Amino acid sequence: MSVLSGKNILLGVTAGIAAYKTSFLVRHFIKAGADVKVVMTPSAKDFVTPLTLSTLSKNPVYSTFYDKNEENELWNNHVDLALWADLMVIAPLTANTLAKMAEGICDNLLLATYLSAKSTVYFAPAMDLDMYQHETTSTNISTLERRGNVFIPPAYGELASGLEGEGRMAEPEEIVAFIQKDLTASLPLRGKRVLITAGPTYEAIDPVRFIGNHSSGKMGFALAEAAAQLGATVILVTGPSNEALHHTAIDRIDVMSAAQMYQTIHKFYGEVDIAIFSAAVSDFTPKVVSSQKIKKKTSEMQITLVPTKDILASAGAVKNNQYLVGFALETENELENAKDKIRKKNLDLIVLNSLQDKGAGFRSDTNKVTLIDKNFQIQEFGLKSKQEVATDIFNEILKSVHA
């Protein structure tokens, strides 16, 4: 999953020859998971058609304040367009529109939308060599940067005039990479390593049977995606789960048993900044595992169980500046049992689940949690999707952990 996934991108297109590249730019944004709308200056339509960009973006393309061909002449609201956008990208940006942006001139829909923008605006100039080297161009670029806009430098190469030099609009894939890098640099967990456990463990009885639980891994996977979206590099150690990952910054390691999870956790634990143990690890495992399938010979069968290693307690015992989060699934004396875990296992935060709450717990897409920190400050949350719960958990973590 890209950092652009789920973002609303408003693409502004001005009347330069590089406008033909915007069809590729739209495709790259959509491939990265973004939703794209396009605003064009009227003259930009001479270089690339609105039909092309609307087909690729699957959204209407806007170029005038109202649709003259509509019977009721519907108004294209520049304020609504600006508020819709998570970020605005103007590419190509001609010298003419650059100067108007610097001076605050508002004589078309694109400029009105730019002046209404609340989100970050990226701009990628495209013009001939002499125009790009002119003093007013560098002054106008500096003005936009001083106001918080982000400059995507042009490339060096052959220009429309036949000259060779700076002025070519950056290639579409370069623009996307630039924006992704810029957005990642500002994420709160950039440079942090996060270790997360998820799912159940299966404790073998024989080659075909096991002791397990109903955990699906949904909560742990949601936490992994949330951490990656915040800029972290994530190691997800998961028991058997059908859940899928989407973000490329997550390294998934599959294990089966509690012993395998213990070994894997301690392989990486010393290298991470944050550890969140959301897996439903079996408390017991068979003392003896049969090498052959056990036959049904009598009406009763006994299996001797022995305790598994307490992964969370072992991590707390060797904690060295890691922010350690545990989960507690309780059925009685919930708050006291959760507080007791914080003390005994040296936790910074515990996430309390209750099987008493409808819609929470294993296999559900929702969860209802209470967060308790090491100072026993309590926050209760209503029933939410597990993605929203993951966000709440990281909002709490970010109060103590800084990039």
Side-chain angles (χ1 to χ4, degrees):
M1 183 185 293
S2 163
V3 70
L4 294 176
S5 180
K7 298 288 188 185
N8 292 333
I9 298 179
L10 188 61
L11 175 60
V13 181
T14 69
I17 187 62
Y20 80 91
K21 295 182 180 180
T22 55
S23 58
F24 300 100
L25 184 55
V26 170
R27 289 289 297 273
H28 281 296
F29 281 140
I30 291 175
K31 188 175 181 180
D35 190 11
V36 182
K37 292 184 179 180
V38 179
V39 181
M40 308 176 72
T41 61
S43 296
K45 294 186 289 185
D46 294 333
F47 296 90
V48 61
T49 68
L51 178 60
T52 297
L53 298 178
S54 65
T55 301
L56 292 172
S57 67
K58 298 180 175 60
N59 279 311
V61 170
Y62 307 91
S63 61
T64 58
F65 285 101
Y66 60 92
D67 295 325
K68 298 178 181 179
N69 295 328
E70 293 288 337
E71 184 177 346
N72 296 320
E73 295 186 348
L74 297 176
W75 178 43
N76 293 322
N77 191 325
H78 59 282
V79 175
D80 286 348
L81 283 170
L83 291 175
W84 172 84
D86 293 312
L87 56 99
M88 186 174 185
V89 182
I90 304 178
L93 176 60
T94 60
N96 181 49
T97 299
L98 170 64
K100 290 180 178 180
M101 290 167 63
E103 293 298 321
I105 295 172
C106 182
D107 62 0
N108 60 46
L109 180 63
L110 173 55
L111 289 164
T113 306
Y114 163 72
L115 290 174
S116 303
K118 299 293 188 293
S119 60
T120 301
V121 178
Y122 295 85
F123 64 99
M127 60 195 74
D128 219 285
L129 176 62
D130 294 333
M131 298 170 70
Y132 183 68
Q133 291 180 339
H134 199 280
E135 182 181 356
T136 56
T137 298
S138 58
T139 299
N140 289 335
I141 290 173
S142 296
T143 297
L144 294 191
E145 287 188 293
R146 190 172 65 251
R147 293 172 183 163
N149 302 281
V150 182
F151 171 47
I152 302 176
Y156 184 99
E158 185 178 352
L159 303 169
S161 64
L163 296 174
E164 188 168 314
E166 284 186 301
R168 286 173 61 98
M169 185 182 83
E171 294 300 316
E173 59 271 23
E174 294 171 344
I175 291 174
V176 174
F178 181 100
I179 294 170
Q180 288 175 320
K181 183 177 179 180
D182 185 69
L183 291 175
T184 301
S186 63
L187 293 175
L189 290 181
R190 179 181 59 87
K192 298 295 185 183
R193 288 171 60 84
V194 179
L195 176 64
I196 297 173
T197 68
T201 62
Y202 287 175
E203 308 302 318
I205 298 171
D206 62 22
V208 297
R209 301 182 181 93
F210 62 85
I211 297 171
N213 57 61
H214 297 297
S215 174
S216 64
K218 290 178 184 288
M219 190 68 250
F221 277 67
L223 285 163
E225 294 284 355
Q229 287 284 8
L230 290 168
T233 299
V234 183
I235 301 168
L236 176 66
V237 181
T238 179
S241 174
N242 292 323
E243 294 299 301
L245 292 169
H246 306 285
H247 205 291
T248 56
I250 304 172
D251 181 15
R252 173 176 176 167
I253 302 174
D254 289 282
V255 298
M256 188 68 68
S257 67
Q260 290 173 345
M261 185 169 283
Y262 180 95
Q263 292 169 357
T264 306
I265 288 301
H266 283 283
K267 179 180 178 181
F268 297 102
Y269 181 65
E271 306 170 2
V272 302
D273 304 287
I274 301 166
I276 306 174
F277 292 1
S278 66
V281 181
S282 177
D283 292 323
F284 295 93
T285 190
K287 185 175 183 179
V288 177
V289 179
S290 174
S291 61
Q292 301 295 326
K293 180 182 176 182
I294 300 172
K295 299 296 184 180
K296 183 178 179 182
K297 295 179 180 179
T298 63
S299 59
E300 293 184 1
M301 176 184 172
Q302 291 185 341
I303 300 174
T304 301
L305 302 177
V306 294
T308 57
K309 291 182 179 180
D310 191 324
I311 299 175
L312 186 57
S314 69
V318 297
K319 185 170 72 169
N320 182 22
N321 296 321
Q322 293 98 338
Y323 189 95
L324 183 57
V325 181
F327 272 64
L329 180 61
E330 303 290 344
T331 58
E332 58 182 1
N333 299 325
E334 298 167 355
L335 287 176
E336 289 309 311
N337 287 338
K339 290 178 181 179
D340 193 47
K341 279 189 175 183
I342 292 175
R343 286 188 289 261
K344 289 182 176 178
K345 303 188 180 187
N346 194 22
L347 306 182
D348 295 287
L349 182 71
I350 198 161
V351 182
L352 173 60
N353 295 268
S354 173
L355 285 179
Q356 310 300 324
D357 295 318
K358 185 178 180 181
F362 293 148
R363 295 185 178 176
S364 173
D365 290 327
T366 56
N367 208 353
K368 183 180 179 183
V369 303
T370 300
L371 302 184
I372 309 171
D373 68 18
K374 63 183 179 182
N375 299 315
F376 302 137
Q377 297 296 309
I378 298 172
Q379 296 182 71
E380 295 184 2
F381 296 87
L383 189 69
K384 297 184 178 184
S385 72
K386 287 184 174 175
Q387 288 74 22
E388 292 173 313
V389 172
T391 298
D392 290 334
I393 291 170
F394 272 104
N395 285 340
E396 181 62 27
I397 292 171
L398 288 171
K399 294 177 183 178
S400 301
V401 179
H402 304 286

